Amino acid sequence: QMARAFRQRVLSETGLAISVGVARTKFLAKIASQVSKPDGLVIVEPDKELDFLHPLPVRLMWGVGPATHAKLARYGIETIGDLAAVEASNLTKRLGPAVAGHLSALAWSRDPRPVVTHHRAKSVGAQSAVGRRAIDHELIAKTLHDLADRVGSRLRKKDRGGRTISTRIRFGDMTAISRASTLPSAVSSTAVIYHTAATLVAAGLADHPDETEISLLGVSVSKLSKGAALQPELPLSLGDPLRPGDPRGIEVRALDAAMDDLRDRFGKTAVGHAAVMLDKSRRSVPDEFRELAQKNES
């Protein structure tokens, strides 16, 4: 009843259809939600867990990415049941003790992780699905500008900065890669986040020259600290906006603060970066729904 009510409330308030999985463990509930996509409800009873789990493809498991999936396929392991049937010692030889132990436990529906309903966020991120689109550098730049702006404004609102910037690229075939870079000091500047993310995405695409389509881009900032102090730097550069303590970087920080103030007073569409504001084709989630998702980040 709770799951049905949840699905109906989301549909009535946002117009979005969602899938829900209900099970005894977090892992199994996640698998059930995947099976019920795009618009369904799957409930796995405790005495039916293995009957439900073992016929499913092993690629659905948490921790089985493209590389591990390919390795398992070489050994003839296609379903979760196939994986469960492999002796622990053989699985350890093939995957190593850590991965083997993790996957073997999940294959037998053993997941001791508790459900934690309140926690402090370890990162702030955003992602945007673009559909299956040919790799277009203008599209990538516009999308990254939007994501950096969303992430940066949320960091500044919470008076936080982060040192590690990560990006995620999902290709047209639904495989995904990630890249990350750790900076010398914590940042919350939209410009720094964007330029760092753009560099990471360019490197990721260069590493996969055979990919021709993308379907999603994501940007996140982690290694957060409260009230990141701004340390002025010696004038060793001729105005570098990517260095927070450089005179140009301080100006960019002031610009971000001014934009944040205007948005607080006149709404989030009152002012923004031209690459984002002038792109009439972009589809954006309404701010009120984004704010609902941000409540757990404080």
Side-chain angles (χ1 to χ4, degrees), residues 113-182:
R113 296 174 301 158
V115 175
V116 179
T117 58
H118 299 284
H119 61 88
R120 184 172 295 278
K122 296 181 180 180
S123 65
V124 172
Q127 61 184 24
S128 178
V130 298
R132 289 186 58 177
R133 303 276 294 274
I135 292 176
D136 178 278
H137 295 290
E138 182 178 356
L139 169 68
I140 291 172
K142 289 177 179 179
T143 304
L144 291 179
H145 263 117
D146 182 37
L147 296 175
D149 189 28
R150 287 158 55 184
V151 172
S153 62
R154 285 159 58 184
L155 284 169
R156 296 188 296 272
K157 186 174 183 179
K158 300 174 186 302
D159 191 27
R160 292 187 184 180
R163 291 180 54 226
T164 297
I165 298 175
S166 305
T167 58
R168 183 168 183 258
I169 308 170
R170 192 175 69 195
F171 296 111
D173 60 0
M174 304 305 285
T175 60
I177 62 170
S178 59
R179 295 289 184 274
S181 177
T182 298

Side-chain angles (χ1 to χ4, degrees), residues 6 26 50 107 118 176 183 208 222-223:
F6 183 42
K26 292 169 69 172
L50 298 183
H118 299 284
L183 306 178
H208 293 78
S222 57
K223 293 191 177 177

Side-chain angles (χ1 to χ4, degrees), residues 46-296:
D47 60 342
K48 302 292 184 182
E49 289 180 352
L50 298 183
D51 293 338
F52 167 79
L53 189 61
H54 282 180
L56 296 175
V58 72
R59 58 180 170 77
L60 291 180
M61 295 182 69
W62 169 48
V64 178
T68 303
H69 183 220
K71 186 178 294 186
L72 292 173
R74 287 199 298 271
Y75 295 117
I77 300 172
E78 295 289 347
T79 69
I80 297 176
D82 293 339
L83 180 65
V86 178
E87 291 186 7
S89 57
N90 289 336
L91 199 60
T92 299
K93 291 177 183 177
R94 297 169 181 178
L95 301 177
V99 175
H102 165 75
L103 293 182
S104 180
L106 294 183
W108 287 102
S109 194
R110 294 193 293 267
D111 182 10
R113 296 174 301 158
V115 175
V116 179
T117 58
H118 299 284
H119 61 88
R120 184 172 295 278
K122 296 181 180 180
S123 65
V124 172
Q127 61 184 24
S128 178
V130 298
R132 289 186 58 177
R133 303 276 294 274
I135 292 176
D136 178 278
H137 295 290
E138 182 178 356
L139 169 68
I140 291 172
K142 289 177 179 179
T143 304
L144 291 179
H145 263 117
D146 182 37
L147 296 175
D149 189 28
R150 287 158 55 184
V151 172
S153 62
R154 285 159 58 184
L155 284 169
R156 296 188 296 272
K157 186 174 183 179
K158 300 174 186 302
D159 191 27
R160 292 187 184 180
R163 291 180 54 226
T164 297
I165 298 175
S166 305
T167 58
R168 183 168 183 258
I169 308 170
R170 192 175 69 195
F171 296 111
D173 60 0
M174 304 305 285
T175 60
I177 62 170
S178 59
R179 295 289 184 274
S181 177
T182 298
L183 306 178
S185 57
V187 300
S188 60
S189 163
T190 295
V192 176
I193 296 171
Y194 165 72
H195 285 288
T196 305
T199 300
L200 292 171
V201 168
L205 293 176
D207 290 341
H208 293 78
D210 295 335
E211 298 288 351
T212 59
E213 295 179 326
I214 59 171
S215 59
L216 178 141
L217 289 172
V219 174
S220 65
V221 177
S222 57
K223 293 191 177 177
L224 304 180
S225 57
K226 188 76 173 177
L230 179 64
Q231 178 66 46
E233 301 175 8
L234 293 173
L236 299 178
S237 66
L238 299 176
D240 184 356
L242 302 186
R243 295 171 60 182
D246 181 273
R248 261 308 264 130
I250 294 174
E251 292 177 359
V252 169
R253 185 183 177 108
L255 175 62
D256 282 335
M259 290 177 57
D260 292 341
D261 183 56
L262 286 170
R263 287 169 169 173
D264 287 341
R265 294 170 61 189
F266 302 112
K268 294 188 177 181
T269 60
V271 64
H273 294 268
V276 177
M277 300 293 286
L278 299 180
D279 182 12
K280 301 299 183 182
S281 65
R282 72 187 182 97
R283 293 174 296 174
S284 180
V285 176
D287 289 336
E288 56 266 30
F289 297 137
R290 280 195 188 137
E291 289 166 0
L292 288 174
Q294 293 170 25
K295 288 182 179 178
N296 290 331

